[in-house]
Amino acid sequence: MESSNKHTEDTGQVQQVTDQAREKAGEAADQARETAQNLAGQAQDRIRGQVDQRSTEAGERVGSTAQDMRSVGSELRNQGKEGPARVAEQAADRIDRAGAYLRDADADRILNDVEDFGRSKPWAVLAGAAVAGFVAARFLKASSRERYSSRRQMEPTAGSRGRSELTGAELESSPATMEQVETGRAPAGVR
């Protein structure tokens, strides 16, 4: 009977330790979850702040462009070109409205409007993404060509030495110009 009581006590202690461990693990998980939520909230706040700041700056630049368009319209009107002046003023009005929206809207409103636009016109979003991808591909291709051609220009041609391979004495005693040395057209004694 004593052994049965001892076994029951041991089982009770094991259960108590297990419960305490579970409780501590639960507290640690709750703390980790709370910390993650706080960090996510801080990141969202920073992103909202950045979107607010950038949209305000963009709105101010767009507003400046609208003023420039109005000046162009006035100048066209002074020159007697009523039709183009009207078009310039209409463009200035649209640009000004876009600038005011960017200046006045907060990050939540902008993000909601972008989401709504994406839901209502998914084809426009896909078309915009395709155009952006095409532009990025063209840019990368063009910059790749430039890097390749600049690398090829820097490599010395077979049988000739580049400027960096000539010694100081060879350069000082040579009547060749640096351009001749770089292109490999230096006099025979300089190479």
Side-chain angles (χ1 to χ4, degrees), residues 24-191:
K24 295 238 186 238
E27 289 173 6
D30 289 344
Q31 251 182 342
R33 193 175 308 116
E34 187 177 320
T35 301
Q37 288 173 346
N38 286 340
L39 290 174
Q42 290 172 359
Q44 287 177 344
D45 289 345
R46 275 191 231 120
I47 290 170
R48 280 189 186 101
Q50 285 292 320
V51 169
D52 284 343
Q53 178 184 357
R54 305 284 181 190
S55 67
T56 301
E57 291 169 359
E60 290 169 358
R61 284 193 298 269
V62 168
S64 172
T65 302
Q67 290 174 347
D68 294 342
M69 288 295 289
R70 281 196 177 84
S71 297
V72 167
S74 294
E75 186 62 34
L76 288 170
R77 184 162 278 116
N78 290 340
Q79 294 175 4
K81 300 177 181 176
E82 192 62 34
R86 205 169 330 123
V87 170
E89 287 173 355
Q90 289 172 351
D93 288 341
R94 288 188 181 120
I95 291 170
D96 197 32
R97 282 194 302 266
Y101 169 80
L102 289 172
R103 269 191 317 270
D104 299 338
D106 64 347
D108 290 332
R109 179 177 172 199
I110 292 171
L111 293 175
N112 286 336
D113 290 347
V114 169
E115 286 175 358
D116 291 345
F117 180 79
R119 284 189 194 106
S120 68
K121 295 183 173 107
W123 56 269
V125 174
L126 290 174
V131 168
F134 178 75
V135 168
R138 298 298 298 168
F139 173 76
L140 290 173
K141 187 175 181 181
S143 66
S144 172
R145 283 184 187 153
E146 288 177 20
R147 286 193 310 271
Y148 178 75
S149 66
S150 68
R151 263 197 324 249
R152 299 295 290 164
Q153 289 174 354
M154 295 182 78
E155 293 176 1
T157 58
S160 69
R161 295 188 320 199
R163 175 176 68 188
S164 62
E165 295 174 352
L166 296 176
T167 65
E170 288 174 320
L171 286 173
E172 289 174 7
S173 66
S174 168
T177 65
M178 292 309 283
E179 181 180 311
Q180 290 173 323
V181 172
E182 288 175 348
T183 60
R185 295 180 298 168
V190 177
R191 290 187 188 165

